[in-house]
Protein backbone atom coordinates (compact mmCIF):
# COMPACT_ATOMS: atom_id res chain seq x y z
CA UNK A 1 0.00 0.00 0.00
CA UNK A 2 1.48 3.32 -1.08
CA UNK A 3 0.46 6.89 -1.71
CA UNK A 4 0.63 8.64 -5.04
CA UNK A 5 4.05 10.04 -5.93
CA UNK A 6 4.79 13.73 -5.58
CA UNK A 7 3.14 15.90 -8.28
CA UNK A 8 5.28 16.64 -11.37
CA UNK A 9 6.18 20.15 -10.25
CA UNK A 10 7.54 19.08 -6.86
CA UNK A 11 11.23 18.96 -7.76
CA UNK A 12 11.37 21.52 -10.59
CA UNK A 13 12.47 24.92 -9.29
CA UNK A 14 11.06 26.96 -12.17
CA UNK A 15 7.79 25.02 -12.27
CA UNK A 16 7.47 25.54 -8.51
CA UNK A 17 8.13 29.26 -8.95
CA UNK A 18 5.37 29.53 -11.55
CA UNK A 19 3.01 27.52 -9.39
CA UNK A 20 3.73 29.64 -6.33
CA UNK A 21 3.30 32.86 -8.30
CA UNK A 22 -0.05 31.71 -9.69
CA UNK A 23 -1.24 30.67 -6.22
CA UNK A 24 -0.26 33.99 -4.65
CA UNK A 25 -1.85 36.06 -7.43
CA UNK A 26 -5.07 34.02 -7.35
CA UNK A 27 -5.34 34.48 -3.59
CA UNK A 28 -4.77 38.25 -3.79
CA UNK A 29 -7.34 38.63 -6.56
CA UNK A 30 -9.90 36.97 -4.32
CA UNK A 31 -8.89 39.02 -1.27
CA UNK A 32 -9.35 42.18 -3.32
CA UNK A 33 -12.82 41.08 -4.44
CA UNK A 34 -13.91 40.35 -0.88
CA UNK A 35 -12.60 43.63 0.55
CA UNK A 36 -13.36 46.01 -2.35
CA UNK A 37 -16.97 44.83 -2.69
CA UNK A 38 -17.99 46.60 0.54
CA UNK A 39 -17.51 50.14 1.85
CA UNK A 40 -15.21 51.17 4.68
CA UNK A 41 -17.99 50.90 7.24
CA UNK A 42 -18.55 47.24 6.39
CA UNK A 43 -14.80 46.66 6.37
CA UNK A 44 -14.34 47.95 9.90
CA UNK A 45 -17.60 46.68 11.41
CA UNK A 46 -17.79 43.43 13.33
CA UNK A 47 -20.69 41.57 11.72
CA UNK A 48 -20.60 38.82 14.35
CA UNK A 49 -18.57 38.33 17.56
CA UNK A 50 -17.53 34.99 16.04
CA UNK A 51 -15.62 36.78 13.28
CA UNK A 52 -13.03 39.50 12.88
CA UNK A 53 -13.69 42.76 11.05
CA UNK A 54 -12.75 42.28 7.41
CA UNK A 55 -10.06 44.93 7.74
CA UNK A 56 -8.33 42.83 10.43
CA UNK A 57 -8.14 39.85 8.08
CA UNK A 58 -6.75 42.04 5.31
CA UNK A 59 -3.87 43.38 7.39
CA UNK A 60 -3.29 40.00 9.05
CA UNK A 61 -2.79 38.47 5.60
CA UNK A 62 -0.12 41.05 4.87
CA UNK A 63 1.51 40.66 8.27
CA UNK A 64 1.82 36.86 7.96
CA UNK A 65 3.28 37.25 4.49
CA UNK A 66 5.84 39.69 5.84
CA UNK A 67 6.73 37.43 8.79
CA UNK A 68 7.28 34.29 6.71
CA UNK A 69 8.45 35.48 3.29
CA UNK A 70 10.25 38.76 3.94
CA UNK A 71 11.68 38.07 7.40
CA UNK A 72 11.70 34.24 7.41
CA UNK A 73 12.83 33.45 3.86
CA UNK A 74 14.68 36.64 2.88
CA UNK A 75 15.96 37.64 6.33
CA UNK A 76 14.86 41.26 5.94
CA UNK A 77 14.17 43.78 8.68
CA UNK A 78 10.62 44.15 9.93
CA UNK A 79 8.60 46.74 8.03
CA UNK A 80 6.21 47.56 10.86
CA UNK A 81 7.14 45.60 13.98
CA UNK A 82 4.76 47.64 16.10
CA UNK A 83 1.73 45.96 14.48
CA UNK A 84 2.83 42.35 14.95
CA UNK A 85 0.90 42.02 18.20
CA UNK A 86 -2.27 43.54 16.75
CA UNK A 87 -2.44 40.83 14.10
CA UNK A 88 -1.39 37.89 16.23
CA UNK A 89 -4.40 35.57 16.11
CA UNK A 90 -3.44 33.91 19.40
CA UNK A 91 -2.95 37.14 21.30
CA UNK A 92 -6.36 38.64 20.56
CA UNK A 93 -9.60 36.62 20.26
CA UNK A 94 -11.94 37.61 17.45
CA UNK A 95 -14.53 39.24 19.70
CA UNK A 96 -11.99 41.78 21.00
CA UNK A 97 -10.35 42.74 17.72
CA UNK A 98 -12.61 45.71 16.88
CA UNK A 99 -11.34 47.50 20.00
CA UNK A 100 -7.71 47.33 18.85
CA UNK A 101 -5.96 50.27 17.11
CA UNK A 102 -6.16 48.51 13.74
CA UNK A 103 -4.88 49.91 10.49
CA UNK A 104 -7.56 51.86 8.65
CA UNK A 105 -8.81 50.35 5.37
CA UNK A 106 -6.59 52.45 3.11
CA UNK A 107 -3.55 51.86 5.28
CA UNK A 108 -4.24 48.11 5.47
CA UNK A 109 -4.52 47.91 1.68
CA UNK A 110 -1.28 49.82 1.20
CA UNK A 111 0.57 47.65 3.71
CA UNK A 112 -0.61 44.38 2.18
CA UNK A 113 0.23 45.65 -1.31
CA UNK A 114 3.73 46.76 -0.35
CA UNK A 115 4.44 43.44 1.35
CA UNK A 116 3.21 41.57 -1.73
CA UNK A 117 5.48 43.54 -4.07
CA UNK A 118 8.52 42.73 -1.95
CA UNK A 119 7.46 39.09 -1.56
CA UNK A 120 7.28 38.64 -5.33
CA UNK A 121 10.83 39.97 -5.55
CA UNK A 122 11.89 37.33 -3.01
CA UNK A 123 10.11 34.64 -5.01
CA UNK A 124 12.08 35.52 -8.16
CA UNK A 125 15.40 34.62 -6.57
CA UNK A 126 14.58 32.10 -3.84
CA UNK A 127 16.10 28.61 -4.35
CA UNK A 128 12.96 26.50 -4.37
CA UNK A 129 14.13 23.05 -5.44
CA UNK A 130 16.30 22.19 -2.45
CA UNK A 131 17.71 23.98 0.56
CA UNK A 132 16.26 24.67 4.01
CA UNK A 133 12.94 23.03 4.82
CA UNK A 134 11.09 26.35 4.82
CA UNK A 135 11.86 26.99 1.14
CA UNK A 136 12.27 23.42 -0.13
CA UNK A 137 9.73 22.76 -2.88
CA UNK A 138 8.51 26.33 -2.38
CA UNK A 139 6.84 25.37 0.91
CA UNK A 140 6.81 28.86 2.49
CA UNK A 141 5.19 30.40 -0.59
CA UNK A 142 2.62 27.61 -0.79
CA UNK A 143 1.91 27.97 2.93
CA UNK A 144 1.29 31.70 2.56
CA UNK A 145 -0.98 31.19 -0.46
CA UNK A 146 -2.95 28.64 1.54
CA UNK A 147 -3.07 30.97 4.54
CA UNK A 148 -4.48 33.80 2.46
CA UNK A 149 -7.07 31.53 0.87
CA UNK A 150 -8.10 30.24 4.29
CA UNK A 151 -8.69 33.83 5.39
CA UNK A 152 -10.56 34.48 2.17
CA UNK A 153 -12.92 31.68 3.19
CA UNK A 154 -13.18 33.27 6.62
CA UNK A 155 -14.01 36.61 5.02
CA UNK A 156 -16.63 34.93 2.85
CA UNK A 157 -18.21 33.60 6.05
CA UNK A 158 -18.28 37.20 7.30
CA UNK A 159 -19.99 38.24 4.07
CA UNK A 160 -22.66 35.61 4.76
CA UNK A 161 -23.12 36.95 8.31
CA UNK A 162 -23.36 40.62 7.33
CA UNK A 163 -26.79 42.18 6.92
CA UNK A 164 -27.84 44.24 3.94
CA UNK A 165 -28.21 43.63 0.22
CA UNK A 166 -26.09 41.24 -1.80
CA UNK A 167 -22.70 42.50 -2.94
CA UNK A 168 -21.25 39.26 -4.34
CA UNK A 169 -22.43 37.44 -7.43
CA UNK A 170 -21.45 34.18 -9.12
CA UNK A 171 -22.93 31.82 -11.73
CA UNK A 172 -25.02 28.85 -10.64
CA UNK A 173 -23.23 25.51 -10.17
CA UNK A 174 -23.89 22.65 -12.60
CA UNK A 175 -26.92 20.52 -12.04
CA UNK A 176 -26.88 16.81 -11.24
CA UNK A 177 -26.50 14.67 -14.34
CA UNK A 178 -27.77 11.40 -12.88
CA UNK A 179 -29.16 9.82 -9.75
CA UNK A 180 -26.42 7.64 -8.27
CA UNK A 181 -27.29 5.03 -5.62
CA UNK A 182 -27.82 6.39 -2.13
CA UNK A 183 -24.80 4.59 -0.68
CA UNK A 184 -21.71 2.64 -1.74
CA UNK A 185 -19.60 -0.08 -0.17
CA UNK A 186 -15.98 0.55 0.78
CA UNK A 187 -14.32 -2.86 1.32
CA UNK A 188 -12.24 -3.44 4.43
CA UNK A 189 -8.47 -3.61 4.51
CA UNK A 190 -5.39 -1.42 4.84
CA UNK A 191 -4.73 1.83 2.98
CA UNK A 192 -2.23 4.69 3.13
CA UNK A 193 -3.55 7.69 5.06
CA UNK A 194 -1.89 11.11 5.07
CA UNK A 195 1.03 12.12 2.92
CA UNK A 196 4.80 12.30 2.90
CA UNK A 197 5.00 13.30 -0.78
CA UNK A 198 2.76 16.34 -1.21
CA UNK A 199 5.20 19.30 -1.13
CA UNK A 200 2.79 21.90 0.26
CA UNK A 201 0.99 19.62 2.70
CA UNK A 202 0.77 21.05 6.20
CA UNK A 203 2.15 19.38 9.30
CA UNK A 204 -1.09 17.75 10.45
CA UNK A 205 -1.42 15.90 7.11
CA UNK A 206 1.95 14.19 7.64
CA UNK A 207 3.38 11.59 7.59
CA UNK A 208 1.87 8.91 5.35
CA UNK A 209 1.04 5.83 7.40
CA UNK A 210 -0.96 2.62 7.18
CA UNK A 211 -4.50 2.31 8.51
CA UNK A 212 -6.56 -0.85 8.51
CA UNK A 213 -10.22 0.07 8.15
CA UNK A 214 -13.03 -2.52 8.36
CA UNK A 215 -15.52 -2.51 5.52
CA UNK A 216 -18.31 0.08 5.72
CA UNK A 217 -21.01 1.76 3.68
CA UNK A 218 -21.01 5.52 3.04
CA UNK A 219 -23.42 7.98 1.42
CA UNK A 220 -22.74 8.65 -2.24
CA UNK A 221 -23.32 12.39 -1.71
CA UNK A 222 -23.59 14.76 1.25
CA UNK A 223 -26.91 14.80 3.06
CA UNK A 224 -29.30 17.14 1.23
CA UNK A 225 -31.52 19.90 2.54
CA UNK A 226 -34.54 17.80 1.62
CA UNK A 227 -33.31 14.85 3.67
CA UNK A 228 -32.45 17.13 6.58
CA UNK A 229 -35.88 18.77 6.38
CA UNK A 230 -37.43 15.35 7.01
CA UNK A 231 -35.44 15.21 10.27
CA UNK A 232 -36.78 18.64 11.24
CA UNK A 233 -40.37 17.78 10.37
CA UNK A 234 -40.16 14.53 12.33
CA UNK A 235 -39.41 16.60 15.43
CA UNK A 236 -35.67 15.98 15.41
CA UNK A 237 -34.85 19.19 17.28
CA UNK A 238 -37.32 18.28 19.99
CA UNK A 239 -36.20 14.69 20.66
CA UNK A 240 -33.49 14.51 23.28
CA UNK A 241 -32.66 10.88 22.41
CA UNK A 242 -30.95 11.86 19.14
CA UNK A 243 -28.56 14.36 20.67
CA UNK A 244 -25.26 14.20 22.49
CA UNK A 245 -25.75 15.82 25.94
CA UNK A 246 -23.78 18.94 25.00
CA UNK A 247 -25.68 19.20 21.72
CA UNK A 248 -29.04 18.94 23.48
CA UNK A 249 -27.96 21.69 25.87
CA UNK A 250 -27.04 23.86 22.87
CA UNK A 251 -30.43 23.23 21.24
CA UNK A 252 -32.32 24.13 24.40
CA UNK A 253 -30.23 27.19 25.28
CA UNK A 254 -30.45 28.75 21.81
CA UNK A 255 -33.90 27.38 20.90
CA UNK A 256 -32.58 25.85 17.69
CA UNK A 257 -35.07 24.40 15.22
CA UNK A 258 -33.21 24.36 11.89
CA UNK A 259 -29.78 25.03 10.32
CA UNK A 260 -28.34 28.52 10.67
CA UNK A 261 -29.89 31.07 8.26
CA UNK A 262 -33.09 28.98 7.77
CA UNK A 263 -36.50 30.32 8.76
CA UNK A 264 -40.08 29.27 8.09
CA UNK A 265 -42.54 31.63 6.42
CA UNK A 266 -46.08 30.84 5.25
CA UNK A 267 -45.44 27.12 5.51
CA UNK A 268 -42.22 27.24 3.46
CA UNK A 269 -38.60 26.95 4.53
CA UNK A 270 -36.49 29.90 3.37
CA UNK A 271 -32.83 30.73 3.87
CA UNK A 272 -30.64 33.80 3.61
CA UNK A 273 -27.60 33.37 1.38
CA UNK A 274 -25.17 36.27 0.89
CA UNK A 275 -27.92 38.90 1.17
CA UNK A 276 -30.55 37.00 -0.83
CA UNK A 277 -33.57 35.26 0.71
CA UNK A 278 -34.64 32.18 -1.25
CA UNK A 279 -36.49 28.88 -0.84
CA UNK A 280 -34.36 26.11 0.62
CA UNK A 281 -33.40 23.81 -2.32
CA UNK A 282 -34.18 20.19 -1.49
CA UNK A 283 -31.50 18.72 -3.79
CA UNK A 284 -28.58 20.78 -2.46
CA UNK A 285 -26.30 19.57 0.37
CA UNK A 286 -27.37 21.00 3.71
CA UNK A 287 -25.11 23.78 4.93
CA UNK A 288 -24.37 25.61 8.19
CA UNK A 289 -24.97 22.71 10.55
CA UNK A 290 -22.89 22.00 13.65
CA UNK A 291 -21.28 18.69 14.47
CA UNK A 292 -24.01 18.14 17.05
CA UNK A 293 -26.71 18.60 14.39
CA UNK A 294 -24.92 16.27 11.97
CA UNK A 295 -24.51 13.65 14.69
CA UNK A 296 -28.18 13.94 15.73
CA UNK A 297 -29.39 13.53 12.14
CA UNK A 298 -27.21 10.45 11.69
CA UNK A 299 -28.63 8.87 14.85
CA UNK A 300 -32.17 9.67 13.74
CA UNK A 301 -31.47 8.05 10.36
CA UNK A 302 -30.11 4.91 12.03
CA UNK A 303 -26.62 5.66 10.82
CA UNK A 304 -23.51 7.47 12.06
CA UNK A 305 -20.89 9.97 10.94
CA UNK A 306 -17.88 8.39 9.20
CA UNK A 307 -14.56 8.38 10.98
CA UNK A 308 -11.82 10.50 9.48
CA UNK A 309 -10.00 7.37 8.30
CA UNK A 310 -13.17 6.06 6.66
CA UNK A 311 -13.72 9.35 4.89
CA UNK A 312 -10.16 9.43 3.54
CA UNK A 313 -10.24 5.81 2.45
CA UNK A 314 -13.47 6.43 0.54
CA UNK A 315 -11.96 9.53 -1.06
CA UNK A 316 -8.44 8.33 -1.92
CA UNK A 317 -8.04 4.56 -1.97
CA UNK A 318 -7.78 2.90 -5.39
CA UNK A 319 -8.36 -0.85 -4.91
CA UNK A 320 -7.01 -1.66 -8.39
CA UNK A 321 -3.54 -0.16 -7.88
CA UNK A 322 -3.54 -0.32 -4.08
CA UNK A 323 -2.43 3.34 -4.01
CA UNK A 324 -3.95 6.32 -2.26
CA UNK A 325 -4.64 9.01 -4.85
CA UNK A 326 -4.10 12.73 -4.36
CA UNK A 327 -7.80 13.30 -5.10
CA UNK A 328 -10.86 11.08 -5.55
CA UNK A 329 -10.59 11.23 -9.36
CA UNK A 330 -6.82 10.64 -9.53
CA UNK A 331 -3.58 12.55 -9.13
CA UNK A 332 -4.44 15.52 -11.38
CA UNK A 333 -5.19 18.92 -9.86
CA UNK A 334 -8.83 19.99 -9.44
CA UNK A 335 -10.63 21.51 -12.43
CA UNK A 336 -14.09 23.11 -12.76
CA UNK A 337 -15.42 19.82 -14.16
CA UNK A 338 -14.28 17.82 -11.14
CA UNK A 339 -15.21 19.85 -8.07
CA UNK A 340 -16.97 22.96 -6.79
CA UNK A 341 -14.09 25.01 -5.36
CA UNK A 342 -12.61 28.50 -5.26
CA UNK A 343 -15.77 30.59 -4.78
CA UNK A 344 -16.56 29.87 -8.42
CA UNK A 345 -20.15 29.45 -7.25
CA UNK A 346 -21.66 30.87 -4.10
CA UNK A 347 -23.44 27.67 -3.11
CA UNK A 348 -22.99 23.90 -3.14
CA UNK A 349 -23.94 22.03 -6.30
CA UNK A 350 -26.92 19.64 -6.20
CA UNK A 351 -26.24 16.11 -5.00
CA UNK A 352 -25.13 14.02 -7.97
CA UNK A 353 -23.19 16.78 -9.74
CA UNK A 354 -19.55 16.39 -10.89
CA UNK A 355 -19.66 12.73 -12.01
CA UNK A 356 -16.06 12.89 -13.30
CA UNK A 357 -14.92 13.78 -9.79
CA UNK A 358 -16.15 10.58 -8.16
CA UNK A 359 -13.88 8.24 -6.25
CA UNK A 360 -13.21 4.60 -7.25
CA UNK A 361 -15.76 3.46 -4.66
CA UNK A 362 -18.44 5.52 -6.43
CA UNK A 363 -18.86 8.28 -3.83
CA UNK A 364 -19.05 11.79 -5.26
CA UNK A 365 -18.57 15.39 -4.19
CA UNK A 366 -15.97 14.39 -1.62
CA UNK A 367 -13.95 17.46 -2.63
CA UNK A 368 -15.66 20.85 -2.63
CA UNK A 369 -19.30 21.84 -2.03
CA UNK A 370 -19.39 21.46 1.80
CA UNK A 371 -16.93 20.70 4.56
CA UNK A 372 -17.94 17.31 5.94
CA UNK A 373 -18.03 16.64 9.66
CA UNK A 374 -16.51 13.32 10.75
CA UNK A 375 -16.87 11.53 14.07
CA UNK A 376 -13.14 11.89 14.81
CA UNK A 377 -11.36 14.16 17.26
CA UNK A 378 -8.51 16.23 15.83
CA UNK A 379 -5.40 14.25 16.77
CA UNK A 380 -1.84 13.95 15.39
CA UNK A 381 -0.82 11.14 13.09
CA UNK A 382 1.86 8.71 14.28
CA UNK A 383 5.21 10.41 13.74
CA UNK A 384 3.74 13.92 13.68
CA UNK A 385 6.27 16.76 13.89
CA UNK A 386 5.18 20.41 14.14
CA UNK A 387 6.36 22.56 11.21
CA UNK A 388 7.03 25.38 10.75
CA UNK A 389 5.38 26.47 14.03
CA UNK A 390 3.49 24.48 16.65
CA UNK A 391 0.55 26.89 16.81
CA UNK A 392 -0.72 25.88 13.38
CA UNK A 393 -1.96 22.44 14.48
CA UNK A 394 -0.45 21.11 17.68
CA UNK A 395 -2.19 23.43 20.13
CA UNK A 396 -5.59 22.32 18.78
CA UNK A 397 -5.09 18.57 19.17
CA UNK A 398 -7.54 16.90 21.53
CA UNK A 399 -11.21 16.00 21.99
CA UNK A 400 -12.39 19.62 21.94
CA UNK A 401 -12.17 19.85 18.14
CA UNK A 402 -13.81 17.62 15.53
CA UNK A 403 -12.31 16.96 12.10
CA UNK A 404 -13.93 18.16 8.88
CA UNK A 405 -12.78 16.91 5.51
CA UNK A 406 -13.15 17.63 1.81
CA UNK A 407 -13.38 21.41 1.54
CA UNK A 408 -16.33 23.58 0.52
CA UNK A 409 -17.27 25.75 -2.42
CA UNK A 410 -15.42 28.52 -0.56
CA UNK A 411 -12.07 26.66 -0.50
CA UNK A 412 -9.45 27.26 -3.16
CA UNK A 413 -7.64 24.40 -4.85
CA UNK A 414 -4.34 25.35 -3.22
CA UNK A 415 -5.86 24.68 0.20
CA UNK A 416 -7.75 21.51 -0.64
CA UNK A 417 -6.36 17.98 -1.04
CA UNK A 418 -7.48 14.46 -0.35
CA UNK A 419 -5.30 14.66 2.77
CA UNK A 420 -6.26 18.17 3.92
CA UNK A 421 -7.61 18.32 7.47
CA UNK A 422 -9.84 21.03 8.88
CA UNK A 423 -11.07 21.16 12.44
CA UNK A 424 -13.48 23.19 14.54
CA UNK A 425 -15.51 23.18 17.73
CA UNK A 426 -18.62 20.96 17.50
CA UNK A 427 -20.91 23.95 18.15
CA UNK A 428 -19.80 25.87 15.06
CA UNK A 429 -22.55 26.62 12.52
CA UNK A 430 -21.36 29.71 10.65
CA UNK A 431 -18.77 27.70 8.72
CA UNK A 432 -19.64 26.13 5.35
CA UNK A 433 -20.20 22.74 6.93
CA UNK A 434 -22.37 19.79 5.96
CA UNK A 435 -21.90 16.03 6.30
CA UNK A 436 -22.56 12.58 4.91
CA UNK A 437 -23.40 9.47 6.91
CA UNK A 438 -22.04 5.94 7.06
CA UNK A 439 -22.95 2.59 8.58
CA UNK A 440 -21.23 -0.64 9.51
CA UNK A 441 -21.64 -3.64 7.27
Amino acid sequence: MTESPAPPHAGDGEALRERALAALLTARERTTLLTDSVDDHDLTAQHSPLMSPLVWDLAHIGNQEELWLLRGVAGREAMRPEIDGLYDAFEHPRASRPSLPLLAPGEARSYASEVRGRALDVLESAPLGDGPALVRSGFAFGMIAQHEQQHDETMLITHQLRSGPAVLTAPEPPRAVDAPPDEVLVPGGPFTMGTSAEPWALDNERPAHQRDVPGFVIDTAPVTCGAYRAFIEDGGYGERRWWAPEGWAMVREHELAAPLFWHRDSGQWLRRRFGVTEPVPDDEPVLHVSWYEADAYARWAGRRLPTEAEWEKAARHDPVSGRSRRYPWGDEDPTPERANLGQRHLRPAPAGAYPVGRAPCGAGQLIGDVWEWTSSDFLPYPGFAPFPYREYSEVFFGPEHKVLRGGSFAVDTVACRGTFRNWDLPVRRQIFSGFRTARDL
Side-chain angles (χ1 to χ4, degrees), residues 22-37 54 58 61 116 145-157 159 168 274 340-346 371 408-415 432:
L24 290 168
L25 294 179
T26 298
R28 188 51 50 91
E29 182 180 352
R30 186 178 176 196
T31 300
T32 301
L33 170 66
L34 291 165
T35 53
D36 284 2
S37 57
L54 292 169
L58 175 60
I61 286 168
R116 172 50 56 86
Q146 291 177 82
H147 174 265
E148 182 163 354
Q149 287 285 4
Q150 287 170 315
H151 275 272
D152 287 341
E153 182 178 12
T154 299
M155 289 194 285
L156 190 63
I157 293 170
H159 271 268
L168 299 173
F274 299 110
N340 181 7
L341 293 166
Q343 202 179 311
R344 186 181 305 112
H345 311 292
L346 285 171
W371 283 109
S408 72
F409 66 90
V411 175
D412 186 76
T413 57
V414 75
F432 299 116

Side-chain angles (χ1 to χ4, degrees), residues 199-407:
W200 291 356
L202 303 172
D203 59 4
N204 62 63
E205 301 171 65
R206 302 174 180 271
H209 59 286
Q210 296 294 300
R211 289 284 180 95
D212 199 332
V213 178
F216 64 99
V217 174
I218 192 167
D219 291 341
T220 309
V223 170
T224 63
C225 295
Y228 196 85
R229 185 164 51 80
F231 167 67
I232 297 172
E233 293 175 355
D234 193 44
Y237 280 86
E239 287 280 356
R240 182 173 189 164
R241 58 180 167 152
W242 306 130
W243 297 83
E246 299 84 356
W248 181 246
M250 179 185 76
V251 167
R252 304 301 291 171
E253 178 183 356
H254 300 287
E255 300 180 345
L256 303 184
L260 186 61
F261 305 116
W262 286 31
H263 70 277
R264 197 163 178 83
D265 184 47
S266 302
Q268 182 183 29
W269 281 107
L270 304 176
R271 71 175 181 187
R272 183 168 59 82
R273 182 178 61 86
F274 299 110
V276 175
T277 298
E278 61 189 12
V280 172
D282 278 355
D283 61 350
E284 191 174 291
V286 68
L287 196 62
H288 297 301
V289 289
S290 67
W291 183 90
Y292 290 126
E293 289 166 292
D295 178 64
Y297 172 94
R299 293 171 192 253
W300 169 82
R303 298 169 72 85
R304 59 177 174 80
L305 296 179
T307 67
E308 183 182 14
E310 287 174 335
W311 187 96
E312 188 168 326
K313 184 171 186 181
R316 297 184 65 209
H317 182 60
D318 179 4
V320 175
S321 67
R323 292 191 303 113
S324 286
R325 300 170 164 189
R326 295 179 67 215
Y327 298 96
W329 55 82
D331 297 334
E332 305 82 14
D333 287 340
T335 62
E337 297 75 31
R338 292 174 174 139
N340 181 7
L341 293 166
Q343 202 179 311
R344 186 181 305 112
H345 311 292
L346 285 171
R347 63 196 306 162
Y354 302 102
V356 297
R358 291 175 187 161
C361 68
Q365 292 169 278
L366 287 153
I367 296 293
D369 287 306
V370 296
W371 283 109
E372 299 184 20
W373 288 110
T374 73
S375 64
S376 298
D377 298 335
F378 184 48
L379 299 172
Y381 289 158
F384 167 83
F387 177 79
Y389 59 103
R390 64 181 299 269
E391 288 81 8
Y392 179 72
S393 301
E394 189 175 24
V395 297
F396 296 102
F397 289 148
E400 296 83 8
H401 294 88
K402 294 295 185 181
V403 174
L404 302 103
R405 299 298 297 263

Side-chain angles (χ1 to χ4, degrees), residues 34-104:
L34 291 165
T35 53
D36 284 2
S37 57
V38 293
D39 59 24
D40 284 2
H41 174 267
D42 272 348
L43 273 177
T44 55
Q46 186 172 48
H47 300 281
S48 165
L50 296 172
M51 310 303 291
S52 309
L54 292 169
V55 75
W56 185 92
D57 287 285
L58 175 60
H60 172 76
I61 286 168
N63 185 246
Q64 288 296 295
E65 189 165 334
E66 184 197 348
L67 285 170
W68 289 102
L69 301 187
L70 303 189
R71 302 187 210 174
V73 173
R76 298 185 181 180
E77 292 292 322
M79 290 171 56
R80 301 195 60 171
E82 75 279 4
I83 69 171
D84 287 353
L86 296 177
Y87 298 101
D88 185 330
F90 286 90
E91 190 170 332
H92 303 287
R94 288 175 174 174
S96 69
R97 290 171 188 170
S99 64
L100 300 173
L102 302 176
L103 299 183

